[in-house]
Amino acid sequence: MSTLNFLGYLNLSHNNLSGKIPSSTQLQSFDPSAYNWNHGLCGSPLQNCANGTHYSQVANEEEGNGDWTEMLWLYIGLAMGFIAGFWMIIGTIIIKQTIRNAYFRSIDKVHDWIYVKMVVCTLGG
């Protein structure tokens, strides 16, 4: 991207970019507002890289902890949803005799349909 020389307008704001902006006349010619909310970016036309690199390392460490807790909550939510859904279906089948009978009849019908299709395909082919 640093080798492009035909850009008239560029806005990279709000992308959580980090690192040093590549040295090229094109990228340094844009207004610093084009790089807003990319706290890890440094270099011309922004602040020096010593502060930007340190900030980006701190942000990455904090981001790593945030990702771990977010993933933990994701797995907890998935497990709770699975357990609740599983027991709602199984509990209904266990408690209601009419639903239980309909469920097992449908399983028998599917089993019979599959068996008939296999026999017809085997004998016909």
Side-chain angles (χ1 to χ4, degrees), residues 52-124:
T53 305
H54 173 69
Y55 180 81
S56 122
Q57 289 172 351
V58 171
N60 285 341
E61 289 173 8
E62 289 175 359
E63 224 175 76
N65 291 338
D67 288 344
W68 183 81
T69 56
E70 287 176 10
M71 291 301 291
L72 177 66
W73 282 110
L74 173 70
Y75 291 137
I76 289 172
L78 284 172
M80 290 175 62
F82 175 78
I83 291 168
F86 177 79
W87 282 111
M88 285 174 65
I89 292 170
I90 298 300
T92 305
I93 291 172
I94 291 172
I95 292 171
K96 298 284 278 182
Q97 184 178 4
T98 55
I99 293 175
R100 182 172 52 241
N101 290 339
Y103 175 72
F104 287 118
R105 274 192 214 116
S106 66
I107 289 176
D108 285 340
K109 284 182 182 180
V110 169
H111 176 267
D112 292 343
W113 181 81
I114 291 172
Y115 178 75
V116 168
K117 290 294 181 183
M118 287 177 52
V119 168
V120 168
C121 288
T122 304
L123 295 178

Side-chain angles (χ1 to χ4, degrees), residues 8-57:
Y9 177 76
L10 178 69
N11 187 352
L12 296 172
S13 59
H14 299 282
N15 283 308
N16 291 327
L17 299 174
S18 62
K20 186 175 185 319
I21 297 173
S23 297
S24 80
T25 56
Q26 187 71 38
L27 293 178
Q28 278 74 31
S29 65
F30 294 113
D31 189 62
S33 65
Y35 302 104
N36 282 346
W37 294 99
N38 292 304
H39 298 292
L41 277 181
C42 63
S44 178
L46 303 175
Q47 78 276 6
N48 63 16
C49 283
N51 293 338
T53 305
H54 173 69
Y55 180 81
S56 122
Q57 289 172 351

